[in-house]
């Protein structure tokens, strides 16, 4: 009886060992590469590498937009999150450091920590000129960005333990002032960065356009959906990314933007095990002549627009719209620019506004009349100064408004010479609307 039980037990143990050996063989022979990749992924962290935006040049290679060095004020990611358990661990580390460095009790350390957190935001606002709303939006964008990276990676990313920019585009003096006060803050740092600079200033602001933070609607429209390749993942827009909002910056966004990079490193040693380098944005060369643009703006000197085309090629040599604004100070002056409802400096009058054609329409009406046979060069119309009645305010000739008389009888040449409104009112009645529309479409 005992031997029988022993045999059954050994048989069960043997079957169990066979199952384990079979599973080990399956994992070693058939799943080795997949499991090795999973293990390596869990033992590594990755970090993104920023790209640089391409430059914009005029036809003579004068720089219209480029990147220049600057600084950015950053806060640690754990300072920006309120709902993560890991934030509590980070806060505890800060409290322990305070107690150890300054010999404080737990209650004293917590009080000082709370004061320094409040002091951090106050100093950042005062020394950078940014508003609390602007900093709050930047903090929210940083949190959304890291969470998007974590979802795409399927696990922790290095950005969860890094500082993130809250205020960008700081100059040397602002950076120095912040660094002198870092001991009064928590989780704060200042690091070098780059920003967009426009050497032409206000000369071609409407053509060049500007940059701004990408919106959720833009991300939904531009980002591909579903499972993505690594290259497509690195090309996606994330919260806080800058995107062209107008002009060439928007029209050439795909060329100028470039693609961010990424590298992977081992958690324990920090050794880089894989790297995908960033691809800088491409430069864009325009047909615009900057010197001609400046000269025409100086000659115009008042609100209006001038466009100069090279007729054989159709190239735009100049596109002036006045008044202008300095692209380098757009954020600081936006409130004033947007409030100017008289001069409308944010409008590009050359392309964004419809105007009545005025007297430029008159030669086209003459061509339509002569070509259709409705009039001849000697056809005349009488201009008493008005079309309907001297008391009716509409359809008057310009000469009646000024001198209270008309041009009298005029032929085609005289009508063009004196730019007689009444002559062309009557010509339009003779041509009828369909004929006019047809000839305008041909033009």
């Amino acid at each position: 009886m005992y031997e029988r039980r022993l045999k059954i037990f050994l048989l069960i143990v043997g079957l169990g060992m066979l199952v384990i050996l079979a599973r080990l063989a399956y994992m070693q022979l058939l799943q080795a590469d997949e499991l090795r990749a999973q293990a390596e992924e869990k033992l590594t962290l990755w970090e993104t590498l920023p790209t640089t935006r391409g430059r914009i040049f005029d036809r003579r290679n004068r720089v219209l937009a480029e990147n220049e060095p600057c600084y950015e004020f950053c806060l640690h990611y754990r300072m920006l999150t309120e709902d993560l358990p890991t934030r509590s661990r980070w806060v505890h580390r800060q409290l322990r450091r305070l107690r150890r460095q300054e010999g404080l009790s737990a209650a004293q350390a917590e009080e000082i920590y709370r004061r320094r957190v409040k002091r951090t935001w106050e100093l950042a606002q005062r020394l950078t000129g940014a508003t609390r709303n602007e900093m709050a939006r930047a903090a929210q964008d940083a949190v959304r960005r890291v969470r998007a990276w974590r979802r795409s990676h399927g696990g922790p990313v290095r950005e969860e333990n890094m500082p993130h920019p809250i205020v960008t585009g700081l100059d040397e003096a602002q950076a120095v002032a912040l660094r002198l006060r870092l001991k009064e803050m928590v989780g704060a740092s200042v690091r070098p960065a780059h920003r967009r600079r426009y050497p032409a200033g206000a000369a071609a602001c409407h053509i060049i356009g500007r940059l701004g933070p990408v919106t959720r609607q833009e991300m939904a429209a531009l980002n591909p959906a579903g499972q993505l390749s690594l290259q497509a993942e690195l090309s996606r827009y994330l919260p806080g990314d800058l995107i062209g909002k107008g002009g060439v910056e928007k029209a050439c966004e795909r060329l100028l933007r470039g693609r961010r990079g990424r590298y992977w490193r081992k958690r324990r040693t920090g050794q880089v095990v894989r790297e995908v380098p960033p691809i800088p944005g491409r430069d864009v060369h325009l047909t615009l002549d900057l010197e001609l643009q400046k000269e025409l703006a100086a000659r115009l000197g008042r609100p209006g627009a001038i466009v100069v085309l090279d007729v054989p090629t159709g190239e735009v040599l100049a596109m002036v719209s006045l008044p202008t604004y300095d692209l380098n100070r757009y954020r600081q002056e936006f409130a004033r620019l947007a409030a100017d409802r008289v001069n409308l400096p944010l409008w590009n009058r050359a392309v964004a506004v419809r105007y009545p054609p005025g007297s430029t329409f008159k030669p086209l009406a003459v061509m339509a009349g002569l070509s259709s046979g409705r009039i001849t060069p000697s056809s005349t119309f009488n201009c008493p100064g008005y079309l309907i009645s001297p008391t009716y305010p509409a359809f008057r000739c310009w000469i009646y408004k000024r001198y209270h008389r008309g041009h009298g009888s005029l032929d085609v040449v005289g009508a063009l010479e004196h730019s007689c409104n009444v002559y062309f009112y009557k010509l339009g009645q003779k041509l009828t609307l369909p004929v006019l529309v047809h000839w305008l479409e041909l033009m």
Side-chain angles (χ1 to χ4, degrees):
M1 188 70 178
Y2 173 77
E3 292 181 0
R4 182 182 177 187
R5 290 179 179 176
L6 181 61
K7 289 178 181 179
I8 293 174
F9 173 75
L10 292 175
L11 179 62
I12 293 173
V13 171
L15 289 174
M17 292 296 295
L18 285 175
V19 170
I20 293 173
L21 290 173
R23 179 59 178 168
L24 287 173
Y26 176 75
M27 294 171 65
Q28 288 285 342
L29 299 177
L30 300 180
Q31 289 187 305
D33 294 338
E34 179 182 352
L35 294 174
R36 186 180 297 109
Q38 292 178 5
E40 289 178 354
E41 184 174 348
K42 292 183 181 299
L43 293 174
T44 59
L45 288 172
W46 59 264
E47 183 178 355
T48 55
L49 299 170
T51 183
T52 55
R53 195 170 180 87
R55 297 170 295 176
I56 302 175
F57 297 89
D58 82 339
R59 67 186 300 115
R60 302 186 189 280
N61 290 324
R62 289 176 286 234
V63 179
L64 302 177
E66 63 182 357
N67 305 304
E68 70 171 358
C70 66
Y71 298 89
E72 54 191 19
F73 174 74
C74 305
L75 290 177
H76 197 282
Y77 179 71
R78 304 303 179 192
M79 270 280 291
L80 309 177
T81 56
E82 299 291 343
D83 57 345
L84 294 180
T86 48
R87 182 182 188 273
S88 299
R89 293 198 294 270
W90 183 82
V91 171
H92 288 320
R93 286 199 297 272
Q94 308 306 310
L95 294 174
R96 285 199 304 270
R97 186 177 296 113
L98 276 174
R99 293 174 62 185
R100 184 173 62 253
Q101 291 176 350
E102 302 186 22
L104 303 173
S105 66
Q108 290 173 326
E110 289 183 9
E111 179 62 24
I112 291 177
Y113 175 81
R114 283 195 294 269
R115 286 205 303 264
R116 287 189 179 180
V117 168
K118 183 180 179 182
R119 185 73 170 156
T120 299
W121 294 101
E122 292 174 349
L123 285 173
Q125 183 176 355
R126 192 175 79 214
L127 298 177
T128 66
T131 66
R132 286 299 295 265
N133 286 338
E134 290 174 336
M135 292 190 291
R137 284 196 297 270
Q140 292 167 4
D141 286 341
V143 172
R144 287 198 294 265
R145 177 193 293 262
V146 172
R147 287 174 177 171
W149 281 330
R150 186 182 176 95
R151 285 194 300 270
S152 67
H153 183 61
V157 293
R158 188 168 183 258
E159 280 75 7
E160 293 177 275
N161 294 293
M162 289 178 56
H164 292 264
I166 301 301
V167 185
T168 60
L170 303 176
D171 57 30
E172 181 77 27
Q174 291 172 314
V176 171
L178 283 167
R179 282 173 174 157
L180 292 175
R181 309 295 290 271
L182 286 179
K183 289 184 178 180
E184 303 175 42
M185 307 184 201
V186 177
S189 60
V190 178
R191 67 185 184 188
H194 63 268
R195 64 183 172 188
R196 204 66 162 161
R197 187 176 81 90
Y198 302 96
C205 59
H206 300 100
I207 299 172
I208 299 170
R210 63 179 182 84
L211 300 177
V214 65
T215 64
R216 293 184 180 182
Q217 293 78 10
E218 288 170 330
M219 286 191 290
L222 297 173
N223 286 342
Q227 191 69 25
L228 303 178
S229 65
L230 178 59
Q231 286 71 22
E233 179 69 29
L234 294 174
S235 299
R236 293 177 73 249
Y237 287 92
L238 295 172
D241 283 353
L242 295 178
I243 188 172
K245 296 293 186 178
V248 176
E249 293 279 24
K250 180 177 181 180
C252 299
E253 170 68 16
R254 291 186 178 275
L255 293 174
L256 292 166
R257 181 171 181 251
R259 192 198 71 191
R260 61 173 62 88
R262 181 182 291 179
Y263 74 85
W264 291 258
R265 65 178 182 86
K266 292 184 178 180
R267 285 178 182 268
R268 293 186 178 276
T269 64
Q271 178 186 357
V272 176
V273 295
R274 184 187 175 194
E275 182 176 357
V276 176
I279 299 177
R282 295 169 58 185
D283 293 339
V284 170
H285 294 259
L286 307 182
T287 61
L288 186 79
D289 188 319
L290 181 59
E291 290 304 316
L292 178 62
Q293 179 87 3
K294 291 179 178 179
E295 176 68 18
L296 291 175
R299 288 177 178 268
L300 180 58
R302 58 186 176 85
I306 300 176
V307 179
V308 178
L309 303 177
D310 183 354
V311 175
T313 64
E315 294 177 347
V316 178
L317 303 180
M319 184 183 289
V320 176
S321 175
L322 294 184
T324 60
Y325 58 90
D326 188 348
L327 277 170
N328 298 301
R329 296 190 53 79
Y330 174 82
R331 191 183 75 173
Q332 296 91 326
E333 298 184 359
F334 174 76
R336 177 184 64 81
L337 296 171
D340 189 347
R341 306 304 300 170
V342 177
N343 295 310
L344 301 171
L346 295 176
W347 285 22
N348 184 354
R349 285 172 161 79
V351 297
V353 184
R354 292 181 177 181
Y355 294 98
S359 293
T360 58
F361 178 82
K362 293 172 180 177
L364 305 184
V366 168
M367 294 177 67
L370 294 174
S371 301
S372 63
R374 303 293 176 93
I375 61 170
T376 67
S378 59
S379 297
T380 61
F381 292 108
N382 180 55
C383 170
Y386 49 85
L387 179 64
I388 298 174
S389 166
T391 60
Y392 189 69
F395 304 111
R396 289 176 177 174
C397 191
W398 66 267
I399 195 173
Y400 186 85
K401 297 176 183 178
R402 190 174 300 178
Y403 303 110
H404 296 285
R405 63 181 177 84
H407 287 107
S409 181
L410 295 173
D411 60 9
V412 168
V413 175
L416 287 173
E417 179 184 356
H418 296 285
S419 191
C420 177
N421 293 348
V422 172
Y423 183 97
F424 289 98
Y425 291 149
K426 293 180 177 180
L427 174 57
Q429 290 175 331
K430 193 173 185 66
L431 286 172
T432 71
L433 186 61
V435 175
L436 281 172
V437 171
H438 171 69
W439 280 91
L440 284 171
E441 288 175 344
L442 293 179
M443 293 299 168

